[in-house]
Amino acid sequence: MPLLTTADERRDRFIRDLYEQHGRSTLRYAARLLGGDWHRAEDVLQEAALRAWKHAAALGLNASQVRPWLWTTVRNLTIDHHRAEKRRPADCTELDTLDLSVPDETDRLLRGRLVLDALSDLTEQQRQVICLLYYGQFNAAQAAEHLGIPLGTVKSRSYYALRALKRALEIRGALVDVS
């Protein structure tokens, strides 16, 4: 690894001295200008220190006399930050609160397939009543009229059909509330 030249050593020492002598006060100043945003203030301080390093020769490599220049640079950087926010407002939506899920019909399709499979365990009469009441959206009276059976028979068939459907779904490992 090549040795540092005296100019490089002086610049490194300049930056070290800059942070030691002015780091805390400049950070507080930047945070105050940025409304208490310490993270952004740290970025501004780092950018100001980088600019000081680039202009170290013009500043005389004397960190103790750089404070007015450093604070002016920090003020200008915060003004630039505020102007940029006005042009491009910050997105106030937190990523954790965003619902990034994509509508997926897989669960609905699997549940439907499972129910259709469980319906095959029912008797033909129970299947007819369930299909009319839940898929055909008939009420009990309409289902009784359509099937040509008494209303009480439709109600009892639907009661026993739902119990049988629940058992068939439990056998298949589905935890559902059939009501």
Side-chain angles (χ1 to χ4, degrees), residues 32 69 82 89 108-109 113 141 153 162 166 170 178:
R32 190 172 59 242
W69 181 91
H82 289 301
R108 187 183 65 79
L109 291 171
R113 183 68 189 142
T153 304
L162 287 175
K166 182 178 180 181
E170 287 172 350
V178 180

Side-chain angles (χ1 to χ4, degrees), residues 31-105:
R32 190 172 59 242
L33 292 175
L34 291 164
D37 185 352
W38 287 92
H39 295 291
R40 182 68 185 138
E42 289 171 352
D43 292 342
V44 166
L45 175 61
Q46 186 176 13
E47 178 64 27
L50 178 64
R51 290 182 182 190
W53 182 79
K54 287 180 179 179
H55 297 95
L59 295 171
L61 291 174
N62 188 350
S64 62
Q65 298 173 349
V66 177
R67 186 173 182 148
W69 181 91
L70 185 63
W71 281 39
T72 300
T73 303
V74 166
R75 185 175 54 84
N76 291 339
L77 288 169
T78 57
I79 289 170
D80 290 346
H81 172 71
H82 289 301
R83 286 180 181 159
E85 277 188 341
K86 286 181 182 176
R87 286 191 185 134
R88 186 184 60 242
D91 186 16
C92 59
T93 306
E94 291 290 327
L95 289 179
D96 294 339
T97 61
L98 287 177
D99 180 19
L100 300 176
S101 63
V102 177
D104 188 6
E105 296 293 316

